[in-house]
Amino acid sequence: MNGLDTLGQLPLASLSLLGPLALFALVASITPGPNNVMLASSGLTFGFRRTLPHMLGVSVGFSLMLVLVGLGLGAAFQRAPVLYEVLKYVGAAYLLYLAWKIASSGPLDNGEVRGKPFTFIQAALFQWVNPKAWVMAVGVIATYTPQTGFFGNLMIAAAVCWAVNLPSIGIWVLCGSALRRWLHRPAAIRAFNVTMAVLLVASLYPVALELAQRVAG
């Protein structure tokens, strides 16, 4: 086989992993993380329709990242670990910047909205500096993508992750949008966004702990 397997030609071991893979993707996609916190805040601040490009960028961007990592980018990081370390800390710094942007966002007195929602491209590129996205990608490739017929398995894994991820993150956008009915006052919106910003900073706890251990060591 040349790796371009069809679903019917995949080994039984590959097919048996589809259910666990979908469950992993669901849990990883729907639990709190940088993407979901930002999507909920965007849903509240800008509404569901204006957040759609952000949501689609997250889902498509992660699936593309999964494929590229599986096709060899991960090997490049193994050969030069410093590249991954640099990306991780740059990503952490960028998340802190985004947390500040979220905390300071909100409606102006004249009814206009401060700031703009993420574009499709911005959301897709953000996956490369999102620590949770890296954990998910490595987990999918290492645990749910058998080496036999690897390319076909990788494509199916990316498709499953996309199909599960999109409605999962959409729930966060809907929740944020629904809160617009109750959080009419600028102070209430600001309080919600500050809470989301704090959660975003809290998601960096593993990176901060690792950095503290390195400094102490």
Side-chain angles (χ1 to χ4, degrees), residues 39-55:
L39 286 168
S41 178
S42 181
L44 171 68
T45 305
F46 304 108
F48 186 85
R49 184 181 62 82
R50 294 189 65 192
T51 304
L52 273 176
H54 184 171
M55 186 174 74

Side-chain angles (χ1 to χ4, degrees), residues 29-52 54-55 58 102-103 105 117-118 168-181 183 188-197 199-200:
S29 298
I30 207 168
T31 50
N35 280 323
N36 288 336
V37 168
M38 292 166 60
L39 286 168
S41 178
S42 181
L44 171 68
T45 305
F46 304 108
F48 186 85
R49 184 181 62 82
R50 294 189 65 192
T51 304
L52 273 176
H54 184 171
M55 186 174 74
V58 168
I102 289 174
S105 66
F118 261 34
S168 298
I169 62 177
I171 291 175
W172 285 78
V173 182
L174 285 172
C175 288
S177 300
L179 289 175
R180 290 166 65 92
R181 300 180 181 179
L183 301 181
I189 294 178
R190 174 62 59 83
F192 178 85
N193 284 337
V194 168
T195 301
M196 293 297 100
L199 290 176
L200 189 57

Side-chain angles (χ1 to χ4, degrees), residues 123-205:
L125 292 176
F126 173 70
Q127 304 318 301
W128 293 94
V129 296
N130 180 1
K132 185 179 179 181
W134 277 102
V135 171
M136 289 176 61
V138 172
V140 169
I141 293 169
T143 308
Y144 303 103
T145 311
Q147 294 300 304
T148 302
F150 178 77
F151 182 77
N153 287 321
L154 181 63
M155 294 301 105
I156 291 176
V160 170
C161 288
W162 176 81
V164 174
N165 177 262
L166 186 60
S168 298
I169 62 177
I171 291 175
W172 285 78
V173 182
L174 285 172
C175 288
S177 300
L179 289 175
R180 290 166 65 92
R181 300 180 181 179
W182 293 279
L183 301 181
H184 296 294
R185 294 177 301 169
I189 294 178
R190 174 62 59 83
F192 178 85
N193 284 337
V194 168
T195 301
M196 293 297 100
V198 170
L199 290 176
L200 189 57
V201 173
S203 72
L204 293 173
Y205 170 76

